[in-house]
Each structure stands twice: as structure tokens, then as C-alpha cells.
Amino acid sequence: MRVIIVGGVAGGASAAARIRRLDERAEIVIYERSGYISYANCGLPYYIGGIIEDRDDLTVQTPEGFRKRFQIDARPHHEVTDVDAQNKTVTVRDLLSGKSFTDHYDKLLLSPGAKPVLPDYPWITQKNVFTLRTVEDTLRIRAYAEERHVKRAVIVGGGFIGLETAENLMAKGISVTILQRGDQLLPMLDRDMASFIHAKLRAKGAAVVLGADAATHACIGEADMIVVAVGVTPETTLARAIGLRTGKKGAISVNDRMETSHPDIYAVGDAVEIRHRVTGEILPIALAGPANKQGRIAADNICGRESHYAGSLSSSVIKLFDMTAAATGINEKTAKRLGLSYERVVLSPASHAGYYPGARVMTMKVLYEKSTERLLGAQIVGTDGVDKRIDVLATAIFAGLPATALKDLDLAYAPPYSSAKDPVNMAGFIIDNIESGLVAQFHHDELPHIRTLENTCLLDTRTPTEYARGHADGFINIPLDELRNRLHELDPSKRIYIMCQSGLRSYLSARILSENGFDCCHFSGGYRFYESVLLDREAAATAHPCGAEK
């Protein structure tokens, strides 16, 4: 059996190695048009900032390594330009010599990946404009920054690549402005959770400009370097030429065996559309984890083993300075778009036991379906322990656990790593309290409407010192520890909306009031969460077009 793989990196390279493990006699050829067969795509921004010092560390496997260990013929600088599916041949162009030749296959695997979106901006062809997708791209960006002594850079786009590049350019002492067309960075998060990301970047000195039209933005002309990172689109030029069936964004349609619409042609990675496990939607998901799994599954089926792709949760994580942001499943924006009836809980647990030094607060947001308690998604922003908790939540969603079952998970505990009630357990306790009717809650986006209602009381149960440092408009202050003795100050005919710093004291206050006959509900996330959202809106409203404050 002769297998030709078009494209290496994650999907193609993992498929090639798996095929060899399953079939010692197979002839395996990888044609990769870049100069690198298998490289750490997600590590590219960190070479720019010098965190990864040696460019060779970006290479996961070399052509020589493939030949020596796996007897795989891996050829960089080779582009497959045509496929004759009828006769099972490919036309290949050697990009170094310019010569073309024909090769034949029994099985063909396409792993062409995705290409950066290049909007039709008037300045897009300038020599100081870059995209970041390949090793060659990251080498060019770092060389340009160092050789030209770049002082000011503009990042167009606020996704993973844009923000990681921004951080790493800032590590080189370069002033960075981030232009984002939408109203937030990191679209995997909801706007309220993204407020912490905006604040971190601004605190580190980056200018964050939301709602920006990069095509005509004033600071473009002032930049020494521009990195365009507005997203990627599936690279399906070859697939369309073959006549393969395609779907959303032109991505290659495959079944769960990674088979395309043509016999003996498989496809994997960023170029294909796959099933989202929460929504059931078929769409492209450009992440390394799914690509690697798909490569393995395609290899299994090529070699006669029955293997099926289970779908993706779009689980992702990003490091920004000392902060980590992670998400799995879907966010509120998607839940609303799909018309799902959902509930959300927001909490601010510590990364580990509070009495052990170094505990840091994280903010967690968990979504679930009201009628079924089906977990829909989660978002976490913090420092230590974020990645651990998002993986637990992703596993719970994948396994189909109901949201209330989070309280029952038996998770490892020692003071340096967690609390006896892990943050994931705490999310489950809160959801169980809500679903059992023990407490009601309200959210920051409901406050404007609540303030217009009659027969209501807004109550802040933090300490007077905390209240004096800042509080939401209209809230009176009765500290939790004084509440039982001051119940006479509250009107039992009014519904009481309670806020504290993180949500714990407001919950305890709600239980006291409920047991004494009051109608009440508590604020999800606490004043800490409310303040982050409020300050972010104010910062966005007062930002200068090129980032400086008015």
C-alpha cells in the first residue's frame, strides 16, 4: 500500500507515524510545501519573544528523523498541485528546482491546514506587514523586529495568535497597539469574562482598541510593524480542484472516519469540518488537539482498523503574561444564537487552599441547559490551576455528566494544589443550590432592568470598608455579620437583591433572609466581577483611537 500525505505539521505528521506503527510494509510519502515537515505551530509566537531561544526547538520532527525512525519519505518544499482521483495520481512541484513530476497512491490523505485571512486593506501589501502561520513567518517577524529596531507594532486581531504575538513583542520592549473589530478580545470568551483580559493587557502597557476599523485606523501609519491575525480559512484549493464536497467556510466535508466524498481520499486538520459535541453543528475547528486525533483516526481507517472521531468541544487555553484564560464547550453568545434555554453561574474560587501561601483567585463561568442540566460550556480566567479545572470540566461535558454532578466529582486535594472543595465542586454546589430552589440569583446584565422595578431593595453585605472602596449604584450596606440583628431595617414586602465581593456572603445572606420570610436573590459573581465588567466598559469608551487615554 502506498500512502501519499499532503501536508505535515499536526494532522499529516501524526497520521504518517501512526500508519507506520500499524503497517511496516506501507510506503509513506509526505509532501509539505513549507520548509518544515512537523513543527510546533502553537509555539511560533514564543520564538518571537525569545522564550523559545533556539529555532531548532520549533521542529518536532525532521525529514531525516522521519526516514531514520519510521522509514517515511518526508519531502519539504514540495507542493501537490493536482490530483487525478480517477487514476490515483498526484502532480508534485519541487519548489526548490521548479520541476514537476507525477506520483501514484493507493490512499491519499489531505492535511493542508488553514491559511491566514488577508482582508483587502489598502496597506496590506506593505513590506512591514506580516502574518504568522509557519516557521518561516516567525523567523521573518523576529528578524525584522531585531534588524529594524522596531519600536511600535500594531496587532490587527484579538484572537490567540494576535494576543500571543502581542505579548512576545512586548517582551522585546516594543510598544503594542491591538486593533479589534469587535467589542472584545478572545471570542471564545463572553464579553464579561474577556474584561479581565482587557484589563491585564492595559495594565501591562498594551493599547487595546475595540470596535476598530483597521483598514483606515490612524495608528497603522505610525507603526513600524503590523501583524495581521484576524483569523484563518481552510486551505482547500486542492480539494476544490479534485471536486471534493465542501461545507462551511469551504472546509472539506468528512465523515467520522475522516473519509471525504471521494473513495480512498481522507482529510484531517484545520481544512476539514467536524461535529461540535455540544451543539451538533458541523463546522471547521482550527485547533492542534483535534488535528492530531483526526490524523490518528484517518491512519487507523487507512490501515483497515475501525476508528471514529468523537467530535470536538473546542477546548482551548492561552497564557497572557501571568494570566491564563481557558474555555470549553460553548459560551453565552453561541447559546443565545442557538436559542438554548440556559443558566450560568459565576464564581471566584482560590487556586488552592487559602491558608497555604500563594493562593490566587480565578473567575469561573459555567453554562448549563435549564431543562436537562446538560453542561454546555465553561470559561475560566486566572493564574494557577486554570488549565486543570477547564480539563475537568471538558471531561465532564464529554462524558455527558449533568451540571449538578460536578459537586460529586472526587478530585485530588492537597493544600498546595486545591481545596477540599475544589473549584469545580463549588460550581456544582452552586448549580445544585439553584436547581433545588435553595437560592435564586441575578446577573450583571439584568441590573439595569432591576433598577427600574418597584418594591425592590438593593443590598450590599460586604464590610463598610469594602463598600466605601466601591459599590454598585443604589445598593445600601448591611454587613453579613450584622444582618440578623438588622432585619428590622428591611421591608419584607420588597424583593431584596443582594451583592457581596465574590458571591459567598450574598448566598449566606440570602439564606438568612429566606429563612426569615424575605423574598430575595443574590448576585452571581459578586462585586469583583461586576467591577471588572464596569471598568472595562469605561476604559473602552474613553480609549483614544491610537490607544492613549483622552
Side-chain angles (χ1 to χ4, degrees):
M1 178 176 65
R2 184 172 178 83
V3 183
I4 290 179
I5 299 174
V6 181
V9 195
S14 65
R18 176 69 170 174
I19 292 169
R20 173 57 71 227
R21 292 194 295 272
L22 298 176
D23 188 343
E24 267 293 301
R25 293 181 296 278
E27 298 177 60
I28 308 168
V29 183
I30 305 175
Y31 291 118
E32 165 61 46
R33 65 183 174 187
S34 79
Y36 297 83
I37 289 290
S38 179
Y39 57 89
N41 190 284
C42 297
L44 298 180
Y46 300 102
Y47 178 76
I48 294 171
I51 295 173
I52 297 175
E53 298 179 356
D54 190 339
R55 60 191 287 177
D56 291 340
D57 289 339
L58 295 171
T59 302
V60 177
Q61 186 60 273
T62 65
E64 295 75 18
F66 266 119
R67 289 190 185 94
K68 185 175 181 180
R69 176 161 295 181
F70 298 107
Q71 290 295 294
I72 291 172
D73 184 4
R75 305 188 196 182
H77 302 297
H78 281 70
E79 181 178 12
V80 175
T81 58
D82 194 19
V83 175
D84 183 344
Q86 182 76 22
N87 296 304
K88 291 190 172 182
T89 62
V90 298
T91 301
V92 186
R93 184 166 182 257
D94 184 333
L95 298 178
L96 297 181
S97 70
K99 296 179 180 179
S100 295
F101 59 91
T102 301
D103 199 354
H104 73 278
Y105 66 86
D106 296 302
K107 305 286 185 180
L108 178 66
L109 174 63
L110 303 180
S111 180
K115 57 186 177 182
V117 173
L118 286 175
D120 188 23
Y121 297 147
W123 42 262
I124 200 72
T125 58
Q126 293 175 187
K127 292 182 179 180
N128 67 337
V129 177
F130 300 86
T131 59
L132 180 55
R133 188 68 185 172
T134 66
V135 174
E136 288 90 345
D137 292 336
T138 199
L139 297 179
R140 282 192 291 267
I141 292 173
R142 178 166 167 174
Y144 190 92
E146 292 175 351
E147 293 168 5
R148 301 297 183 95
H149 304 290
V150 167
K151 296 289 190 294
R152 292 173 296 182
V154 169
I155 308 296
V156 181
F160 293 111
I161 294 297
L163 298 192
E164 289 169 346
T165 302
E167 177 188 356
N168 280 278
L169 288 175
M170 291 170 70
K172 299 181 77 67
I174 297 172
S175 174
V176 169
T177 297
I178 302 168
L179 303 182
Q180 173 74 341
R181 182 176 60 181
D183 66 350
Q184 67 167 89
L185 305 177
L186 289 184
M188 73 196 196
L189 303 177
D190 287 313
R191 171 69 190 268
D192 49 16
M193 294 293 286
S195 66
F196 294 98
I197 304 300
H198 302 165
K200 172 61 69 174
L201 285 162
R202 290 177 178 128
K204 290 292 184 178
V208 178
V209 185
L210 304 175
D213 180 4
T216 58
H217 205 280
C219 64
I220 290 292
E222 301 174 5
D224 302 316
M225 168 187 282
I226 304 166
V227 179
V228 178
V230 297
V232 296
T233 186
E235 173 51 272
T236 55
T237 304
L238 192 61
R240 292 196 304 272
I242 300 170
L244 299 182
R245 185 165 57 245
T246 57
K248 291 183 179 178
K249 294 186 178 181
I252 304 169
S253 297
V254 293
N255 59 20
D256 63 1
R257 289 166 50 89
M258 309 315 299
E259 295 170 322
T260 70
S261 56
H262 278 40
D264 297 322
I265 300 180
Y266 298 75
V268 300
D270 296 354
V272 307
E273 58 176 11
I274 55 177
R275 182 177 67 90
H276 195 287
R277 284 188 64 90
V278 173
T279 68
E281 292 179 296
I282 306 298
L283 69 170
I285 297 177
L287 293 168
N292 274 282
K293 295 180 185 70
Q294 293 159 25
R296 178 186 175 91
I297 288 163
D300 283 354
N301 290 297
I302 285 171
C303 294
R305 295 170 60 92
E306 192 71 17
S307 191
H308 300 269
Y309 184 60
S312 172
L313 290 173
S314 298
S315 301
S316 56
V317 63
I318 181 174
K319 170 197 167 296
L320 286 173
F321 305 99
D322 64 340
M323 178 174 277
T324 301
T328 187
I330 64 172
N331 55 25
E332 277 198 79
K333 294 189 293 289
T334 302
K336 289 175 180 176
R337 175 176 63 80
L338 296 174
L340 297 177
S341 178
Y342 70 93
E343 184 56 280
R344 49 187 153 148
V345 296
V346 179
L347 58 156
S348 300
S351 56
H352 60 250
Y355 60 82
Y356 188 89
R360 303 283 295 278
V361 173
M362 65 180 74
T363 303
M364 298 176 60
K365 183 177 186 178
V366 180
L367 276 65
Y368 65 96
E369 197 169 33
K370 287 182 179 178
S371 59
T372 65
E373 294 187 11
R374 177 172 68 113
L375 282 166
L376 299 175
Q379 304 159 51
I380 311 178
V381 178
T383 53
D384 298 338
V386 169
D387 53 338
K388 170 183 176 179
R389 274 63 187 221
I390 205 69
D391 284 343
V392 173
L393 288 161
T395 302
I397 297 172
F398 190 94
L401 296 181
T404 50
L406 296 178
K407 67 181 173 42
D408 300 317
L409 293 179
D410 191 4
L411 304 175
Y413 160 61
Y417 302 107
S418 184
S419 300
K421 296 177 180 178
D422 187 85
V424 175
N425 296 138
M426 290 302 303
F429 293 142
I430 293 171
I431 293 169
D432 185 62
N433 286 338
I434 293 167
E435 291 303 305
S436 66
L438 195 62
V439 69
Q441 64 174 358
F442 66 104
H443 303 280
H444 68 85
D445 51 359
E446 296 170 334
L447 255 180
H449 172 68
I450 290 170
R451 288 191 174 103
T452 67
L453 300 176
E454 296 181 356
N455 295 320
T456 61
C457 172
L458 306 182
L459 176 64
D460 188 320
T461 58
R462 295 177 298 159
T463 66
T465 300
E466 290 173 299
Y467 180 82
R469 282 200 297 259
H471 57 270
D473 291 345
F475 280 74
I476 63 171
N477 181 223
I478 301 179
L480 168 62
D481 294 340
E482 300 176 15
L483 185 58
R484 289 183 178 88
N485 296 324
R486 297 176 63 179
L487 291 177
H488 62 277
E489 298 179 28
L490 299 173
D491 186 345
S493 69
K494 294 184 177 181
R495 190 170 204 214
I496 302 175
Y497 293 86
I498 315 163
M499 183 183 289
C500 70
Q501 185 66 15
S502 66
L504 175 58
R505 283 174 286 177
S506 60
Y507 162 64
L508 298 175
S509 300
R511 292 305 306 143
I512 292 171
L513 292 171
S514 294
E515 288 293 305
N516 283 276
F518 289 87
D519 178 20
C520 61
C521 58
H522 88 116
F523 184 75
S524 177
Y527 182 76
R528 175 180 175 274
F529 187 58
Y530 172 82
E531 183 182 41
S532 179
V533 175
L534 186 67
L535 292 177
D536 182 51
R537 288 173 180 165
E538 292 175 353
T542 58
H544 186 272
C546 282
E549 292 298 315
K550 290 180 181 177

